[in-house]
Amino acid sequence: MSSHGSSTFIPLNIAVLTVSDTRDESNDTSGQLLAERVVSAGHQLAEKAIVKDDIYQLRAIVSKWIADENIQAVISTGGTGFTLRDNTPEALLPLFDKNVEGFGEIFRAISLDEIGTSTIQSRAFGGIANQTVILCVPGSTNACRTAWDKLIKEQLDASHRPCNFVPHLSTANSQACESRG
């Protein structure tokens, strides 16, 4: 593997999960935005689901997607705040082989320009499990737009330099960026 991105785009199979006790397909603007962004970027929408903010339901669906060798990335929206029903970090962190600490840090840094210090209340986070990257963002449509447009899109693009997540996923190839452990 080289220390640079690939010269070609590699389409990934990406699952989108909305975590909510109140949303359904008719009003899930955040999940819909992410699904549209996935497809417009040239990736495949592998699955899209809405699940209640329940630790065990969250673990079950994400575990299924992690175990599916045809899914390279999972993006979840919702459940990252501080209410009693915000359980996404508690549900998913135990599933990770490695945490991606920088994902939450960069998301909050980008969000600082948009929403000020309120970004401190975001528990956005990411990790890798079984060669699948899992990126979890807040439930607001604006937060999803910010996360995809300013962070996720580039990191799921094999041609992004100097590096991206693609070499760490099940579709890794010798042209993508090598991790600097």
Side-chain angles (χ1 to χ4, degrees):
M1 289 189 193
S2 73
S3 62
H4 302 288
S6 170
S7 61
T8 60
F9 176 83
I10 299 170
L12 302 175
N13 292 318
I14 302 173
V16 172
L17 178 65
T18 298
V19 179
S20 176
D21 292 339
T22 59
R23 293 191 185 170
D24 59 32
E25 286 300 329
S26 70
N27 62 7
D28 178 23
T29 56
S30 297
Q32 189 59 41
L33 177 126
L34 288 170
E36 289 168 0
R37 292 289 207 271
V38 162
V39 172
S40 69
H43 299 292
Q44 299 295 316
L45 181 63
E47 297 211 30
K48 182 180 178 303
I50 300 172
V51 66
K52 291 200 179 301
D53 201 333
D54 173 84
I55 289 174
Y56 302 101
Q57 289 182 44
L58 284 164
R59 281 185 190 156
I61 193 164
V62 175
S63 292
K64 176 183 156 214
W65 289 344
I66 290 168
D68 185 337
E69 63 186 32
N70 294 314
I71 295 178
Q72 291 86 41
V74 174
I75 305 170
S76 81
T77 174
T80 61
F82 286 100
T83 73
L84 291 176
R85 293 295 297 166
D86 288 326
N87 294 306
T88 303
E90 291 74 20
L92 302 186
L93 284 169
L95 301 178
F96 294 173
D97 299 325
K98 295 186 187 262
N99 291 332
V100 180
E101 286 87 357
F103 179 77
E105 294 167 0
I106 296 298
F107 175 79
R108 284 181 285 279
I110 292 167
S111 296
L112 183 64
D113 290 337
E114 296 178 9
I115 63 169
T117 60
S118 293
T119 192
I120 200 168
Q121 294 195 34
S122 163
R123 295 192 300 154
F125 66 102
I128 297 176
N130 194 31
Q131 295 184 299
T132 303
V133 65
I134 301 100
L135 304 171
C136 305
V137 299
S140 83
T141 305
N142 284 338
C144 291
R145 182 177 296 109
T146 296
W148 178 268
D149 293 352
K150 297 182 179 177
L151 183 57
I152 297 172
K153 180 180 178 183
E154 288 182 345
Q155 286 300 302
L156 296 183
D157 182 346
S159 64
H160 178 73
R161 293 178 184 227
C163 61
N164 55 75
F165 282 117
V166 177
H168 309 290
L169 309 180
S170 59
T171 63
N173 65 48
S174 61
Q175 300 292 314
C177 173
E178 180 174 271
S179 172
R180 297 180 195 140

